[in-house]
């Protein structure tokens, strides 16, 4: 069997990464391209709404999206009536399954979560031997959907040991180390996570949300926004949203959950005040849950090869 993973090369930073990771995990011949290939089994890893709008065809859809809503000019119902975009469509989370149904897409009952690189399970954060109090991972965009500017403000106020894997501008500080998003290997990322006590994950909405799961795999405890869809699997210290709003970004309407900076500050201070026994209890639960999610993906991976 020949498989083509259809993916927008160079766009939406996590998508090409996922395509390459899936290529490693599948035990068949795999190519990655941004085109549909005849005589291949085509798997689409892309953003859901834009894939409807631009009529991206594949045999298997395995897409995800933040809470994007079409405008009237997109006329997606007409597209769905006229085009057969897929033979099977799998959601990566319950939120995505509900969202796809809202858009009018047919979707399989089985949810197939996103995978993480299994090398992460070879690393573990040692409470007594960390370089960073907090690490963050996320591509910065004009919409600041990850709330990275808010994180920067919290860091400047609380002055913890901070590792930033992002292209957001950060001031020079002796207790800050920064790497551009996408510039490090998975081995380096695993090492940095294992040298950090907490991941600060302040995204306002996600179709899945890999970094919390990656952090949990090494026992780096997430401080996270309690919003879809990473809250379906994340264990750690939750930050409740105070509201949600509809805004315009990426050329469409998008629903974002709002978090209060003071709540983030309090969650960080609470986390940094945990005793070793409390931390390690939470760490164990994180690692156990990450293993469960990864095994769930492995048990369902063959579904991506069957139409």
């Amino acid at each position: 069997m020949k498989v083509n993973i259809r993916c927008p090369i160079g766009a939406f930073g996590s998508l090409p990464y996922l395509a390459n990771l899936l290529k490693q995990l599948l035990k068949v011949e795999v190519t990655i391209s941004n085109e549909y290939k005849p005589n291949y089994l085509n798997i689409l890893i892309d953003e859901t709404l834009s894939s409807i709008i631009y009529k991206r065809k594949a045999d298997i859809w395995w897409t995800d999206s933040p809470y994007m809503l079409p405008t009237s000019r997109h006329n997606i119902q007409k597209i769905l009536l006229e085009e057969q975009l897929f033979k099977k469509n799998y959601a990566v989370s319950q939120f995505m399954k509900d969202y796809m149904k809202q858009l009018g897409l047919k979707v399989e009952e089985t949810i197939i979560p996103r995978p993480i690189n299994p090398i992460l399970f070879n690393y573990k954060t040692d409470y007594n031997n960390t370089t960073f109090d907090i690490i963050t991972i996320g591509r910065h965009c004009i919409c600041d959907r990850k709330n990275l500017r808010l994180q920067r403000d919290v860091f400047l106020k609380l002055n913890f040991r901070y590792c930033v894997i992002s292209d957001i501008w950060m001031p020079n500080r002796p207790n800050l180390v920064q790497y551009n998003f996408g510039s490090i290997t998975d081995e380096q990322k695993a090492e940095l996570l294992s040298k950090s006590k907490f991941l600060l994950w302040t995204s306002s909405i996600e179709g899945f949300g890999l970094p919390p799961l990656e952090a949990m795999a090494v026992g780096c405890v997430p401080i996270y926004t309690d919003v879809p869809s990473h809250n379906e699997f994340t264990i750690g210290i939750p930050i409740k949203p105070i509201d949600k709003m509809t805004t315009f970004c990426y050329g469409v309407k998008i629903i974002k959950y709002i978090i209060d900076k003071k709540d983030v500050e309090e969650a960080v201070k609470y986390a940094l005040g945990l005793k070793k026994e409390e931390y390690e209890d939470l760490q164990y639960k994180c690692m156990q849950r990450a293993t469960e999610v990864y095994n769930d993906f492995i048990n369902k991976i063959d579904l991506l090869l069957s139409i």
Side-chain angles (χ1 to χ4, degrees), residues 63-81:
T63 64
D64 72 81
S65 175
Y67 205 161
M68 294 180 177
L69 298 174
T71 62
S72 58
R73 68 182 177 87
H74 292 126
N75 202 2
I76 66 167
Q77 295 310 316
K78 182 174 185 293
I79 295 172
L80 294 177
L81 283 172

Side-chain angles (χ1 to χ4, degrees), residues 92-121:
V92 302
S93 62
Q94 184 62 48
F95 164 76
M96 279 304 306
K97 186 175 177 180
D98 296 339
Y99 168 72
M100 288 174 171
K101 290 180 178 179
Q102 181 184 348
L103 292 179
L105 289 166
K106 294 180 180 179
V107 59
E108 300 296 317
E109 285 301 312
T110 301
I111 293 169
I112 305 178
R114 293 298 197 202
I116 57 175
N117 193 322
I119 67 164
L120 289 158
F121 295 109

Side-chain angles (χ1 to χ4, degrees), residues 252-276:
V252 295
K253 292 184 290 184
I254 182 169
I255 294 177
K256 296 173 63 175
Y257 287 85
I258 301 170
I259 55 173
D260 189 276
K261 188 189 302 183
K262 290 183 180 178
D263 291 339
V264 179
E265 291 174 1
E266 290 305 312
V268 169
K269 288 190 284 188
Y270 171 80
L272 296 180
L274 286 179
K275 296 179 181 178
K276 181 180 179 181

